[in-house]
Amino acid sequence: MDVPDPTGVSVMDELVARTERQLERMRDLGDRMAEVRARESSPDGAVTVEVDGNGALLDLVFSPLVNRLTPAEFEQVVVSTAQRAAARAFARRGALITAFNEDNGAGPRPESQEPPHHESPHPPRRMTRNSVDAAHREIHRRVTRS
């Protein structure tokens, strides 16, 4: 049974509200990361590449200038332009994650500090809106069961 604290708000109500705020922030982060796009053109304008936040190719545009390129030059220009677009998309995602962590009190990790290593028999999963919603439902189920 929830025991009200001196302010009249139960500790459990506070926990549920905080969890819901955190889930909403995670959903917002997921939405913002899904919207990340990066567009990059080759220096001569022959090739333009657009990628999503994962670096997956969304659009590839060739100007008439590609007709002047040898096959090897063409390949190099496409690959290097796509790499620059992907790097820009990854930087945007990184900035979103950094801002999210700082807003949640995690702060930036010193470069010299290695990330914690956790042995797990399960590979990491990408968090989707459905998995966040499922986690929210499970938390709610556990809270209301007690």
Side-chain angles (χ1 to χ4, degrees):
M1 178 171 183
D2 290 346
V3 178
D5 69 9
T7 64
V9 178
S10 76
V11 174
M12 189 56 72
D13 288 341
E14 217 172 280
L15 176 63
V16 169
R18 185 173 65 228
T19 301
E20 287 174 349
R21 286 191 304 272
Q22 289 172 338
L23 284 170
E24 187 56 37
R25 284 193 297 266
M26 287 179 67
R27 284 187 192 109
D28 182 54
L29 174 64
D31 291 345
R32 293 174 64 203
M33 288 179 67
E35 293 170 356
V36 169
R37 302 285 184 269
R39 191 170 191 84
E40 187 73 33
S41 293
S42 61
D44 63 0
V47 176
T48 300
V49 175
E50 183 177 10
V51 298
D52 68 11
N54 294 317
L57 185 65
L58 297 175
D59 195 17
L60 181 60
V61 179
F62 304 119
S63 80
L65 295 173
V66 296
N67 295 325
R68 298 181 186 164
L69 302 173
T70 66
E73 291 170 331
F74 174 77
E75 178 183 349
Q76 190 277 327
V77 168
V78 170
V79 170
S80 65
T81 305
Q83 286 175 332
R84 285 194 314 277
R88 182 178 287 174
F90 296 152
R92 288 180 184 161
R93 284 178 56 126
L96 289 172
I97 291 168
T98 298
F100 175 83
N101 288 337
E102 288 173 354
D103 288 347
N104 287 296
R109 181 173 52 226
E111 288 184 30
S112 62
Q113 181 183 347
E114 287 292 317
H117 180 70
H118 302 286
E119 292 292 330
S120 172
H122 306 289
R125 289 183 10 200
R126 182 171 172 237
M127 290 297 288
T128 63
R129 179 175 289 277
N130 288 341
S131 59
V132 170
D133 288 342
H136 181 253
R137 284 190 302 274
E138 178 63 17
I139 290 168
H140 182 70
R141 183 185 67 77
R142 289 182 183 188
V143 167
T144 57
R145 187 175 57 180
S146 348

